[in-house]
Amino acid sequence: MGHDHAHGTSSNRRRLTLAIGIVASVLLLEVIGAALTGSLALLADAGHMLSDLFGLIVALTATVVAARPATDRATFGFQRAEVFGALINGLILLAVAGAVSVAAIARLISPSDSAVLPTPMLIVAIIGLAANIAGIMLLRPAVAGSINMRGAYLEVLGDALGSVAVIVAAIVILVTGFTGADAVASLVIAAMIVPRACVLLRDVVRVFGQSTPADTDISEIRRHLLGTAGVVAVHDVHVWAITSGAHVFTAHIVVEAAVLAHGTDALLDELSGCLSTHFDVAHSTFQLEPAEHAEHEDHQHR
């Protein structure tokens, strides 16, 4: 199993490295294309891709950093590097969306001030879409096994949707001559960016605030633990995340006297196995205690 995990990690790194190369190439192409064609939509999509490139680099870095062992100064390891990266990425996304929206509205108000060359704009957007589709096909096989890879996949998928918006705008300009379609496409891309930025920042706040992960039901966990033979009560339950998909759990478990008398290894294995199997908890810590000890504890937490 260790070999399979190492092979999977190595494969994910190769996929991410290739995806970064694809996105960086398209980003450069779109920046050049925006400068030559005067297309704000291409520039908006380039800004979108810049953020996504950063997100992919963060994903690649996370696969490397997360593999580093914990130390006395970083007892949970270095997985929170991903969260700091997500914070920066979310802020960049909001800044890009804001700048693009302001420029697009200005163009709609004063359309005579802007000129767009739709044919090269269309060519660049089609090349960008083709490259994004290649990136999607590259990352898709690894989505099921890694939340980190799923995030990277969504980054590239978002880029593809941005390219589609630019293509539609270019076709509209070619057919109707309405250059405002470029600004409208820019607003569409900005509207696609904002929700993802908000979700990223919301997740960052949840992690830094040590909130219970959104996909975790503490009541359900408590029911599972109480169903374990020898467990009398569960209290002082805490669940938080080091980073996305890396949940930590602690609890006080009141057990029957016979359990303490005959050894706790089997019970601890069963409890940690339950959390790992049913709730995807990466790290669990239990304080086993007799009923008489639990009775005089100061119950400040559930």
Side-chain angles (χ1 to χ4, degrees):
M1 182 174 291
H3 174 75
D4 291 341
H5 177 72
H7 175 73
T9 300
S10 176
S11 175
N12 287 348
R13 288 176 186 171
R14 285 196 298 272
R15 292 178 187 277
L16 284 169
T17 300
L18 289 172
I20 287 171
I22 291 171
V23 172
S25 299
V26 176
L27 169 62
L28 180 60
L29 176 66
E30 288 196 337
V31 169
I32 295 173
L36 294 177
T37 65
S39 170
L40 180 61
L42 273 178
L43 189 60
D45 199 38
H48 187 193
M49 295 196 75
L50 175 62
S51 173
D52 289 345
L53 177 62
F54 183 81
L56 288 170
I57 292 172
V58 168
L60 177 60
T61 303
T63 64
V64 177
V65 173
R68 294 178 60 187
T71 68
D72 289 342
R73 300 292 295 177
T75 56
F76 277 112
F78 299 88
Q79 297 179 70
R80 276 229 167 133
E82 180 185 14
V83 185
F84 285 105
L87 172 61
I88 297 171
N89 197 9
L91 295 175
I92 290 175
L93 281 170
L94 287 181
V96 168
V100 166
S101 297
V102 170
I105 292 171
R107 282 199 176 187
L108 287 173
I109 294 173
S110 304
S112 59
D113 295 340
S114 59
V116 179
L117 302 177
T119 301
M121 171 184 170
L122 178 61
I123 294 172
V124 171
I126 290 174
I127 294 173
L129 178 60
N132 285 324
I133 290 174
I136 289 170
M137 299 302 293
L138 178 68
L139 296 175
R140 186 179 179 85
V143 166
S146 168
I147 190 170
N148 192 38
M149 294 299 293
R150 185 158 63 250
Y153 171 81
L154 292 174
E155 301 277 3
V156 179
L157 180 61
D159 289 335
L161 295 176
S163 295
V164 170
V166 179
I167 289 172
V168 171
I171 292 174
V172 169
I173 296 172
L174 279 170
V175 173
T176 68
F178 175 56
T179 58
D182 179 65
V184 172
S186 303
L187 289 174
V188 170
I189 293 171
M192 289 166 40
I193 291 174
V194 171
R196 205 179 76 211
C198 291
V199 169
L200 266 177
L201 294 176
R202 181 199 65 191
D203 291 344
V204 167
V205 170
R206 281 180 174 171
V207 172
F208 284 149
Q210 293 189 309
S211 300
T212 301
D215 59 348
T216 300
D217 185 340
I218 289 183
S219 297
E220 183 66 19
I221 291 178
R222 186 180 281 107
R223 280 195 293 272
H224 270 254
L225 297 180
L226 286 171
T228 306
V231 174
V232 176
V234 178
H235 64 94
D236 284 287
V237 175
H238 302 277
V239 188
W240 69 98
I242 302 171
T243 184
S244 58
H247 299 171
V248 179
F249 176 92
T250 66
H252 291 206
I253 309 293
V254 181
V255 298
E256 296 173 354
V259 173
L260 297 176
H262 295 94
T264 60
D265 286 354
L267 177 60
L268 287 172
D269 287 343
E270 188 172 356
L271 292 174
S272 60
C274 171
L275 289 177
S276 176
T277 301
H278 298 290
F279 302 101
D280 197 25
V281 172
H283 183 92
S284 56
T285 302
F286 303 97
Q287 177 173 309
L288 304 184
E289 56 193 29
E292 56 269 22
H293 179 271
E295 288 171 358
H296 63 71
E297 282 193 345
D298 181 13
H299 292 276
Q300 296 181 352
H301 306 97
R302 295 181 64 193

